[in-house]
């Protein structure tokens, strides 16, 4: 479940200043969370994971792939916005910013294609030392991703 943040926000400023002014360009906002609110967010993520019994870890690989594909569609739809933010945030050229966004989208798509290939190869049962096994890929836990 995604919860919308309604609390205070902190402006994110670019390293770039307006020409002839002592004013940085504002490129966005991030939630201003207290330590307690941050811990609550982490605990909510752990509860959602539910020791492997939550919705995401219990989804089939096909369902997780579909969800990530929807995310990539949303990312591609916001491509121009992301390019502009990269330009302001880390002073990349427009061309380099476009390439970075496109590389990221391609990387996600390639990862999905590889997972599909692995799933097809390992959809059979394995027999090793008289033990029959079936490999099932599943999320391993909560991850903090900062980029």
């Amino acid at each position: 479940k995604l919860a919308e943040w309604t609390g205070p926000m902190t402006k994110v400023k670019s390293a770039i200043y307006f020409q002839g002014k002592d004013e940085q360009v504002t490129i966005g906002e991030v939630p201003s969370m207290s330590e307690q609110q941050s811990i609550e967010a982490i605990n909510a993520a752990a509860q959602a994971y539910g020791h492997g019994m939550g919705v995401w870890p219990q989804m089939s690989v096909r369902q997780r792939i579909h969800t990530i594909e929807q995310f990539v569609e949303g990312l591609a739809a916001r491509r121009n916005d992301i390019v502009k933010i990269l330009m302001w945030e880390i002073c990349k050229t427009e061309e380099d910013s476009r390439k970075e966004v496109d590389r990221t989208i391609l990387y996600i798509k390639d990862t999905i294609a590889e997972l599909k290939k692995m799933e097809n190869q390992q959809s059979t049962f394995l027999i090793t030392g008289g033990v029959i096994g079936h490999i099932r890929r599943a999320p391993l836990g909560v991850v903090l991703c900062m980029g």
Side-chain angles (χ1 to χ4, degrees), residues 7-69:
M9 303 291 281
T10 299
K11 291 185 185 303
V12 177
K13 304 262 185 193
S14 171
I16 300 170
Y17 285 80
F18 286 106
Q19 189 172 3
K21 296 183 181 179
D22 191 26
E23 178 187 352
Q24 287 176 280
V25 176
T26 300
I27 58 173
E29 294 180 322
V30 294
S32 295
M33 299 175 98
S34 67
E35 180 179 350
Q36 182 59 37
Q37 289 166 321
S38 300
I39 291 169
E40 287 171 11
I42 292 168
N43 289 340
Q47 184 178 359
Y49 177 70
H51 301 288
M53 300 307 292
V55 174
W56 180 260
Q58 289 300 305
M59 280 183 184
S60 68
V61 171
R62 176 180 283 162
Q63 290 170 312
R64 288 196 302 270
I65 287 172
H66 176 72
T67 301
I68 297 300
E69 286 172 335

